[in-house]
């Protein structure tokens, strides 16, 4: 078995491959392994430095000719929902998110499969098997949680859990300075609920309740329309050459 020393992480660079967000561009990533007792601390430091986590790998773009990917984190304690966002919260007031340890289930995978088939049929994750999904959830050396969203039931105020159909799921890392949304998915037949937006709003509320300043959303890709939703949650900070800088306007 390969051993990865935790006291001095090694970084590696991938070969160029076609960018999934910008036509005609090629992406490269720098990555390292997140393993051992120091993995949570290392994940905090790397996420604050613009890295993202996928299983036990931390990575960030290292493209030669493009700087379109920008790390984004919401300032949770200052956030104010827009009128449209308040409508989304009201529309989903019958839902409750229950936080669990990072354990996969067949119910989760069924929803995940439906989401990929409807929204990302040609994406890099489109051929993920149930084993691949289990690895995505379980292969973590940091504090990772699964939040399952279901309708409120008569016992929710006691159990803190919803009942009935699983409608949305978020895989989330809990860090010292915030919550990092690793991956989220939802029932693709419920567009009217705007469940993707709702889960981000729910994470902002959770971060506030936990006294954490940030919600990390990953990368906003300048020029990619499908990533523009990330800059709607203001105020937020973008990681640039001078460090994290405040952003409040429209793109």
């Amino acid at each position: 078995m390969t051993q990865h020393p935790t006291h001095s992480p090694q970084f590696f660079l991938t070969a160029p491959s076609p960018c999934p967000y910008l036509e005609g561009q090629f992406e490269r990533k720098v990555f390292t392994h997140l393993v051992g007792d120091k993995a949570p601390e290392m994940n905090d430091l790397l996420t604050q430095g613009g890295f993202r986590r996928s299983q036990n790998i931390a990575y960030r773009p290292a493209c030669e000719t493009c700087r379109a990917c920008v790390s984004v984190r919401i300032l949770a304690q200052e956030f104010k929902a827009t009128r449209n966002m308040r409508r989304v919260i009201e529309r989903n007031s019958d839902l409750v998110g229950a936080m669990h340890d990072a354990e996969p289930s067949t119910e989760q995978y069924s929803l995940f499969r439906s989401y990929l088939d409807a929204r990302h049929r040609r994406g890099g994750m489109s051929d993920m098997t149930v084993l691949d999904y289990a690895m995505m959830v379980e292969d973590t050396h940091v504090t990772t949680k699964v939040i399952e969203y279901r309708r409120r039931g008569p016992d929710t105020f006691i159990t803190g859990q919803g009942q009935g159909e699983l409608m949305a799921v978020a895989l989330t890392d809990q860090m010292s300075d915030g919550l990092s949304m690793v991956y989220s998915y939802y029932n693709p037949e419920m567009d009217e609920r705007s469940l993707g937006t709702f889960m981000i709003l729910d994470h902002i509320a959770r971060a506030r309740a936990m006294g954490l300043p940030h919600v990390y959303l990953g990368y906003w890709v300048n020029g990619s329309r499908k990533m523009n939703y990330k800059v709607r949650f203001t105020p937020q900070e973008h990681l640039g050459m001078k460090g994290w800088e405040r952003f409040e306007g429209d793109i």
Side-chain angles (χ1 to χ4, degrees):
M1 180 180 298
T2 303
Q3 297 294 318
H4 301 285
T6 58
H7 59 281
S8 56
Q10 293 181 293
F11 291 86
F12 307 91
L13 188 64
T14 66
S17 61
C19 176
Y21 300 107
L22 300 177
E23 187 175 352
Q25 294 287 350
F26 286 84
E27 67 170 1
R28 299 188 78 176
K29 294 186 177 74
V30 59
F31 68 94
T32 188
H33 296 273
L34 288 171
V35 294
D37 295 339
K38 297 295 184 181
E41 178 183 349
M42 184 62 64
N43 188 47
D44 279 17
L45 291 172
L46 291 175
T47 301
Q48 292 160 10
F51 280 71
R52 293 289 286 167
R53 185 185 70 80
S54 178
Q55 297 178 219
N56 66 357
I57 297 292
Y59 68 91
R60 68 169 297 172
C63 306
E64 296 178 356
T65 61
C66 181
R67 296 293 182 269
C69 292
V70 179
S71 292
V72 172
R73 66 185 187 188
I74 302 166
L75 298 173
Q77 304 300 326
E78 300 181 48
F79 173 79
K80 288 184 173 61
T82 64
R83 181 180 301 177
N84 182 63
M85 290 174 183
R86 292 195 294 271
R87 292 194 188 103
V88 171
I89 294 172
E90 176 62 27
R91 203 176 300 142
N92 292 283
S93 60
D94 61 331
L95 300 187
V96 60
M99 183 178 285
H100 307 283
D101 290 336
E103 296 179 355
S105 69
T106 55
E107 187 182 24
Q108 290 171 21
Y109 179 72
S110 178
L111 180 62
F112 175 73
R113 190 71 263 164
S114 296
Y115 174 77
L116 288 183
D117 290 345
R119 299 298 179 89
H120 302 286
R121 187 172 298 174
R122 297 181 181 179
M125 303 173 74
S126 60
D127 59 350
M128 284 181 65
T129 66
V130 64
L131 180 59
D132 295 328
Y133 176 79
M135 290 294 289
M136 182 177 81
V137 175
E138 291 181 324
D139 192 4
T140 174
H141 291 252
V142 304
T143 305
T144 303
K145 300 293 183 181
V146 168
I147 306 175
E148 295 185 340
Y149 296 86
R150 305 175 192 269
R151 285 189 174 89
R152 295 179 184 275
D155 298 328
T156 295
F157 73 101
I158 298 174
T159 66
Q161 300 186 24
Q163 296 180 355
E165 176 188 5
L166 182 64
M167 302 179 69
V169 175
L171 183 66
T172 302
D173 287 346
Q174 184 176 330
M175 308 191 313
S176 62
D177 73 326
L179 301 176
S180 177
M181 298 184 69
V182 176
Y183 195 79
S184 58
Y185 56 93
Y186 50 86
N187 187 327
E189 297 180 359
M190 296 185 174
D191 283 342
E192 73 283 356
R193 283 184 174 267
S194 301
L195 289 167
T197 296
F198 174 70
M199 281 190 281
I200 295 175
L201 294 170
D202 180 66
H203 277 68
I204 295 171
R206 288 174 184 272
R208 279 180 167 175
M210 299 166 72
L212 298 172
H214 304 123
V215 173
Y216 288 85
L217 291 185
Y219 302 116
W220 164 62
V221 184
N222 191 0
S224 174
R225 290 182 60 188
K226 63 182 178 181
M227 286 293 185
N228 279 345
Y229 73 91
K230 294 188 178 184
V231 294
R232 294 192 291 113
F233 300 86
T234 56
Q236 60 183 230
E237 291 180 327
H238 293 181
L239 184 60
M241 297 297 292
K242 298 180 181 179
W244 289 99
E245 297 181 298
R246 192 180 182 92
F247 172 86
E248 297 193 54
D250 295 328
I251 297 298

